[in-house]
Amino acid sequence: MTLLERDAASKKWAKRALVGINLSMVQVLMSNYGFQYSQNLIKKAAEVLEAYSTESRRLFQASEHRFIFYLVGYRDKDELARFGSTVADTLGKLFTMERIGGGIGILEIEPGESAPDTDTLLRRVLIASEKAISTAGKDFDVCFYNEELEAMVNRERDIVKALGAIAAGEETQDRLFLQYQPIFNLKTNALFGFEALSRLKTEELGVVSPLEFIPIAEKTKLILPIGEKVIAEALRFLRRLKALGYSDVTVSVNISVIQLLSPDFTGRLLELIRDAQVDERNFCLEITESVFASDYDAINNSLKELRQAGLYIAIDDFGTGHSSLAREKGLTVDCMKIDKYFIDRLLSTDGASAITGDIISIAHKLGQFTIAEGVEYESQLQYLRKHGCDKVQGYLISRPLDEEDAIRFLRSGTPEVLRRAPDPGSLWEISF
Ligand code: C2E
Ligand code: CA
Ligand code: CA
């Protein structure tokens, strides 16, 4: 019988809690500084934690990188929170030099018969401590366990399971598929291409947004096999378009930095394009500015190689992330996608003071064309035309479409909103 079970049975304490300290980030240092170095850090942490150990607050080492305080007879939740932040401060100071963080999870043990078993308690305190890490970065944060947290963790586990099975090509009901959102050329009113957007559909969860599953795929590195499937599927669609006679339509895919940094990425991508027998000039990669925060030169070299092969490269979500115009200038990209934020702002700011037009000018000066994202209203379209934006994408023209709908959309020609002449007001402004 464990200590936890004995105390639960004896009903000696009204209040009991676990405070878990998660130092799994130390593993990151191991690859750089070696096993001995990281072992010493853990030892130092154990020493400072030991200083907080008392009769009613006993310290245990749960695994190589995890410690747990078992608290009995404490007063209230505030006392727990204060203890958690004291430990966080102490560890934060201890690891200042190493610049690593960790997580502190707190679990209050429900009194009475319904108390979960020891394994469940330990798992829950681990969940809370991991949650505290992912929100923290380089600090130590504190997180209390609750049921929503567990639901979130379970959902994430289901997503990882589904992605894992899809990546391994296992027989499964779960599906990864693409929808295609049209992008129009404002100069010619003709279709420029489609952006491929991934969706995950599982039996238990229904359709899962990429905003949810892509970060999970990145965290688990499943983005490598999943990303390759996305590319292969988009290329198959592109080939189908070519077979249908639409040979100048472009298809874009979103690429994560982890994919770009994997050493054989460019070679493999060019091979897939060749196998699909499509033209490199009809394929576009969308990457976010954040990629340049990692390894600027390596990434820029890969991009150069891909552009030389004929692909388009677009900077996605321009203006939201780690942009630096100095860097943007040295970049080998063809296109700037202006984030929806700057398109939304057109509704609240009057045209004269909006900086969206300036962004378009800057892109043009850098030799890049522009795509405005998230265009929902005609007034935005008019502003964009007037300020020389090259291309547009958004619900005003079409939502992302399933493959068959995308083909039907293509056959139906330029949508009415684009064919309509600009209103007299904006014509007057242009000639003014
Ligand atoms: P994104 O690349 O910025 O894609 C545009 C997102 O805006 C899409 O959301 C699209 O459905 C949505 N959108 C387009 N027009 C409008 C509009 O007029 N109004 C509004 N409110 N929204 C609009 P979605 O499909 O949920 O994708 C979200 C993000 O997930 C994408 O943002 C992209 O960063 C990422 N993503 C999607 N598929 C992939 C993929 O295969 N690989 C990677 N790495 N990321 C992907
Ligand atoms: Ca995109
Ligand atoms: Ca975007």
Side-chain angles (χ1 to χ4, degrees):
M1 206 189 209
T2 66
L3 174 63
L4 284 170
E5 283 158 1
R6 221 168 38 232
D7 280 355
S10 78
K11 302 198 175 85
K12 191 165 146 205
W13 307 103
K15 284 192 173 292
R16 303 186 301 138
L18 295 175
V19 175
I21 292 117
N22 194 327
L23 299 173
S24 57
M25 301 290 278
V26 169
Q27 291 172 87
V28 179
L29 293 177
M30 199 157 89
S31 52
N32 286 337
Y33 299 103
F35 180 70
Q36 203 54 47
Y37 181 83
S38 58
Q39 279 311 97
N40 282 339
L41 288 182
I42 297 284
K43 224 171 106 201
K44 272 205 273 176
E47 279 163 18
V48 300
L49 291 175
E50 188 59 47
Y52 290 106
S53 169
T54 63
E55 193 69 5
S56 59
R57 196 160 64 196
R58 292 167 65 181
L59 180 67
F60 298 88
Q61 183 158 11
S63 72
E64 199 183 335
H65 302 112
R66 290 197 295 123
F67 295 91
I68 291 183
F69 280 105
Y70 174 44
L71 283 76
V72 291
Y74 62 93
R75 203 173 327 117
D76 54 15
K77 202 173 167 182
D78 284 350
E79 185 182 324
L80 287 179
R82 273 197 305 278
F83 177 60
S85 31
T86 307
V87 172
D89 286 349
T90 307
L91 291 174
K93 286 196 191 99
L94 184 68
F95 290 126
T96 321
M97 286 281 290
E98 289 79 17
R99 301 186 61 228
I100 56 161
I104 295 169
I106 306 182
L107 169 74
E108 291 196 272
I109 303 172
E110 303 275 332
E113 305 301 314
S114 60
D117 61 25
T118 305
D119 281 349
T120 308
L121 293 174
L122 293 177
R123 185 172 48 77
R124 289 184 173 175
V125 76
L126 173 65
I127 287 173
S129 70
E130 286 195 337
K131 177 68 180 139
I133 295 182
S134 54
T135 54
K138 301 214 179 306
D139 295 317
F140 280 82
D141 253 11
V142 181
C143 176
F144 274 85
Y145 171 85
N146 62 39
E147 270 162 24
E148 288 106 81
L149 198 60
E150 177 142 25
M152 220 177 76
V153 171
N154 286 343
R155 187 176 162 92
E156 187 164 326
R157 200 191 41 218
D158 288 348
I159 292 174
V160 171
K161 211 173 87 200
L163 290 176
I166 291 167
E170 282 168 23
E171 192 71 32
T172 159
Q173 295 294 312
D174 304 340
R175 248 178 16 106
L176 178 80
F177 64 101
L178 298 182
Q179 284 192 318
Y180 301 95
Q181 189 176 30
I183 302 171
F184 268 85
N185 187 329
L186 278 184
K187 312 280 148 118
T188 60
N189 276 356
L191 183 86
F192 167 70
F194 291 99
E195 175 174 4
L197 294 155
S198 340
R199 278 90 186 82
L200 173 69
K201 190 166 184 211
T202 84
E203 265 186 312
E204 289 133 22
L205 308 172
V207 177
V208 183
S209 153
L211 292 172
E212 184 175 8
F213 75 79
I214 295 289
I216 295 174
E218 288 173 341
K219 205 161 78 184
T220 53
K221 300 276 188 295
L222 281 167
I223 192 68
L224 293 172
I226 292 290
E228 181 159 329
K229 283 194 188 295
V230 168
I231 291 172
E233 179 65 6
L235 286 169
R236 190 197 50 72
F237 177 61
L238 185 55
R239 188 179 157 90
R240 183 171 174 204
L241 294 178
K242 188 177 153 190
L244 290 170
Y246 299 104
S247 48
D248 51 7
V249 172
T250 298
V251 172
S252 324
V253 290
N254 294 280
I255 300 291
S256 297
V257 62
I258 302 173
Q259 290 172 274
L260 266 179
L261 283 175
S262 87
D264 52 351
F265 178 76
T266 34
R268 180 75 186 130
L269 173 62
L270 295 175
E271 187 181 308
L272 287 169
I273 294 176
R274 262 192 309 275
D275 289 351
Q277 295 173 318
V278 294
D279 193 336
E280 286 87 354
R281 269 171 287 270
N282 293 135
F283 205 55
C284 171
L285 303 186
E286 297 192 6
I287 54 178
T288 56
E289 299 164 282
S290 65
V291 301
F292 299 102
S294 21
D295 189 345
Y296 185 82
D297 289 331
I299 297 223
N300 216 10
N301 285 337
S302 300
L303 296 183
K304 257 187 215 151
E305 191 186 334
L306 291 168
R307 282 187 80 208
Q308 266 155 18
L311 280 87
Y312 283 111
I313 309 291
I315 290 287
D316 209 349
D317 307 336
F318 180 81
T320 57
H322 307 60
S323 53
S324 137
L325 276 174
R327 284 198 153 182
E328 208 76 31
K329 216 173 145 187
L331 264 185
T332 44
V333 307
D334 308 88
C335 166
M336 193 184 275
K337 292 194 83 169
I338 304 171
D339 193 72
K340 184 169 183 298
Y341 171 79
F342 294 101
I343 311 306
D344 288 345
R345 292 253 321 241
L346 297 178
L347 299 172
S348 52
T349 348
D350 71 278
S353 61
I355 65 160
T356 314
D358 299 320
I359 297 179
I360 296 169
S361 309
I362 291 170
H364 287 163
K365 283 195 184 112
L366 295 172
Q368 299 166 7
F369 67 85
T370 51
I371 301 179
E373 296 190 289
V375 179
E376 293 179 346
Y377 298 93
E378 276 196 54
S379 59
Q380 295 167 326
L381 185 68
Q382 278 157 17
Y383 176 101
L384 292 164
R385 270 201 204 280
K386 185 176 143 194
H387 289 83
C389 183
D390 303 279
K391 297 171 174 76
V392 286
Q393 172 181 3
Y395 292 175
L396 177 68
I397 295 157
S398 168
R399 290 182 174 254
L401 303 167
D402 285 333
E403 178 164 337
E404 297 312 320
D405 291 334
I407 303 272
R408 264 194 290 277
F409 179 91
L410 199 54
R411 291 194 169 122
S412 66
T414 301
E416 172 62 24
V417 269
L418 285 169
R419 275 187 279 134
R420 221 173 296 163
D423 73 320
S426 68
L427 267 185
W428 180 78
E429 279 178 73
I430 292 168
S431 54
F432 183 65

